[in-house]
Amino acid sequence: MIDTNNTPGTAHKLLKSIFGYSSFRDNQENVIEAITSGRDVFTSMPTGGGKSLCYQIPGLMFEGLTVVISPLIALMKDQVDEALSKGIPAAFLNSTLQKEEISQIYSKLNRKEIKLLYLSPERLAIEGYLEQLEQFNINFFAVDEAHCLSEWGHDFRPDYLILSSIRSHFPDVPMAAFTATATTKVQSDIIRILGLKDPLVVRASFNRQELNYQVKPKTEVLSQISGFIKNHPEESGIVYRLSRKDVSKTAAYLIGQGLKALPYHAGLSKEERSQNQEAFNKDEVDIIVATTAFGMGINKNNIRYVIHGDLPKSMEGYYQETGRAGRDGLDSQCVLFFSTGDISKQQYFIDQIDDPTEQVKAKDNLNRLIRYSTVNVCRRKQILEYFDEDHRGECGNCDICNDTTNKIEATIDGQKVLSAIIRTNEGFGINHIIDIVWGADTEKIRSRNHQELKTFGVGRDKSKKWWRNIITELIAQQAIYQDTERFNVLCLTSLGKDILFGKRDFYISDTAVSPEKEGLSRNDLLDRSDFQDDDLYKRLRDKRTEIAQENQVPPYIVFSDKTLKDMAQIKPQNEEEFLLVSGVGEKKLEVYGPLFLPIIRDYLEE
């Protein structure tokens, strides 16, 4: 029988007798003391940091019932099964239960035989349900995955907003919010929405030292994913893909390679999703291939790697997804395969967002992930900076710090940019500096006689996109900064001056380099595929017809037959290659690239 008296030392006794640990981890004891003293709490801890213990022990110490709000049905079952295995009286109520099972749980609640009750926010939203809960002696509410409350969180769920009503029904019952991913903005949102009163705020470090972060240039992604997995035999791992179609293709490919893999996405039946997740949890298969619909709060602690075959949607989501590896504290790998083609995919989805505010937020998320994937700066430092946590870099556990990335010396190109900034008295922003280096003929340049500068046109042999990448790298490596008080003009730091005057070298990561910078030409593409594929040509023509009809213009206005045939022959796979198609300029790339490139990529994967 569990001793639930709230006396000095009780928490430590429960920690040992129920959970088998001799000491608390950082922050756990402070959180438990605050809750058991009746205080509200906001707790942000990384995945694997021991959040559940912070509400389970108080739940055992309180005389009455603890209600845990949890977002995923599968997670609830796992948590209750684990609690029951430890002798903790727990139950859950959700749509998977039959009437008889629900009736039995309410009977146990009335007899005070349950200490932890897990509920979904959807159940709380049922009219009159909060009033129904008032009949039970509830001593404590715990809100798990609390970032779902905030529109700034990576997994905002409108149904979670019903939780704002808890405080009015239970004004004197302590409440605690728990999350593994929350910026300070999300934190403020959660505290406001839940009505937490003078809460203890605990922000544990987000630094998961056991995770190794790597970004690799994406070429043949299916064979790259398979190759990585074959080098980690009989280890559990998750492969994330952006679309359901890619999930199915990847799972089928891995199975064809003799690997034990299963798919997981919202297009599968509830039964199949549940069966596949259970097979993964029980180590009956090694790999689950999934969209981001999989894994929030997953309890499996022996995941050794997380692979992203596509660019994630946000840094917060990426951190949450990679955080599913290494929950047992053992070394684990987080690999992201990146190509510039991912950018156009994401941009296409962003362009479909109607809400201007949401669109800006999505673009900011995309830009941050692009920077993470391309700049030559410690991966861990960039992740932690997103969560407002300082890190000096040189973490010793990412591809940048371990010097396993292919670095390209770009000192001369860096000096060209830095010289242009100095010669314009550090008075202009990114676009104007690019125009100077590239040699653009603009009114702004002519009116200031900047065409007379020694640096004017010194970079005409490379694209504007290349020079933007150089500037992004210089900013990321803190060689230059944007002066926010002077309209984001570029200024040099002491490091920038060292690079300019040849005292320091400047390197960039190869993930920042597109095929164009490596000298890719039409001939290279023709060598790769020297025939026009009629089936692909038909698909491209059908898409052209669809676009023309939507815009009420003749098909040739979109692309000529010659352009489509050229496209079907050289088969471009990213923005730089798309520009090499006859009849495609910058504007056509911007408007139609996101529509035609996915068709070509899907065809090639098939």
Side-chain angles (χ1 to χ4, degrees), residues 1-15:
M1 186 69 180
I2 294 172
D3 177 11
T4 58
N5 293 321
N6 187 357
T7 57
T10 300
H12 280 274
K13 290 177 185 176
L14 291 172
L15 179 69

Side-chain angles (χ1 to χ4, degrees), residues 487-545:
F487 307 102
N488 285 331
V489 300
L490 298 177
C491 303
L492 271 66
T493 65
S494 57
L495 172 60
K497 291 174 183 175
D498 284 347
I499 294 171
L500 176 61
F501 297 118
K503 296 178 181 178
R504 294 279 292 271
D505 292 331
F506 172 60
Y507 291 87
I508 63 173
S509 167
D510 66 347
T511 51
V513 183
S514 71
E516 179 189 22
K517 290 88 179 185
E518 296 167 352
L520 191 76
S521 67
R522 278 183 54 80
N523 288 334
D524 294 321
L525 297 186
L526 288 169
D527 289 342
R528 186 174 74 189
S529 177
D530 59 359
F531 66 94
Q532 176 201 313
D533 194 302
D534 291 336
D535 185 26
L536 176 57
Y537 174 65
K538 183 180 182 302
R539 297 188 192 191
L540 296 172
R541 191 175 57 190
D542 289 345
K543 171 56 74 173
R544 180 185 66 176
T545 300

Side-chain angles (χ1 to χ4, degrees), residues 184-347:
T184 51
K185 195 171 191 177
V186 171
Q187 171 185 311
S188 299
D189 242 12
I190 292 169
I191 292 172
R192 175 182 58 80
I193 293 168
L194 289 178
L196 301 183
K197 297 178 289 188
D198 186 30
L200 170 69
V201 174
V202 173
R203 289 185 64 85
S205 172
F206 286 85
N207 188 3
R208 296 283 305 281
Q209 296 182 19
E210 67 276 14
L211 299 185
N212 177 276
Y213 299 103
Q214 306 170 50
V215 179
K216 297 179 180 293
K218 182 160 71 172
T219 52
E220 302 292 334
V221 69
L222 293 183
S223 61
Q224 287 177 294
I225 291 171
S226 172
F228 178 91
I229 292 172
K230 286 178 179 178
N231 285 327
H232 295 78
E234 299 182 2
E235 292 184 357
S236 292
I238 303 174
V239 179
Y240 283 108
R241 299 304 310 269
L242 193 60
S243 69
R244 299 178 189 179
K245 187 176 180 181
D246 284 335
V247 165
S248 299
K249 283 182 183 178
T250 306
Y253 182 87
L254 295 178
I255 292 168
Q257 294 289 306
L259 298 168
K260 294 188 286 185
L262 286 173
Y264 187 105
H265 59 71
L268 301 176
S269 67
K270 183 187 295 186
E271 292 75 18
E272 190 172 0
R273 290 200 306 272
S274 178
Q275 289 169 4
N276 291 358
Q277 179 166 341
E278 190 167 354
F280 181 61
N281 286 342
K282 292 180 177 178
D283 290 337
E284 293 170 4
V285 296
D286 297 327
I287 308 133
I288 202 86
V289 185
T291 59
T292 54
F294 175 80
M296 183 166 63
I298 185 170
N299 276 341
K300 186 176 173 66
N301 70 0
N302 65 335
I303 296 171
R304 293 276 71 83
Y305 58 84
V306 172
I307 299 171
H308 282 79
D310 307 286
L311 195 66
K313 293 181 179 178
S314 70
M315 182 64 82
E316 195 164 350
Y318 179 65
Y319 179 82
Q320 179 89 350
E321 289 149 21
T322 55
R324 283 152 200 157
R327 291 189 58 176
D328 53 8
L330 299 180
D331 289 344
S332 303
Q333 307 295 312
C334 304
V335 181
L336 167 61
F337 290 105
F338 170 77
S339 77
T340 53
D342 289 339
I343 300 172
S344 57
K345 274 187 185 179
Q346 292 278 21
Q347 189 62 57

Side-chain angles (χ1 to χ4, degrees), residues 17-29:
S17 62
I18 303 299
F19 299 94
Y21 301 125
S22 56
S23 62
F24 286 106
R25 297 187 192 179
D26 290 345
N27 302 301
Q28 286 180 324
E29 191 166 11

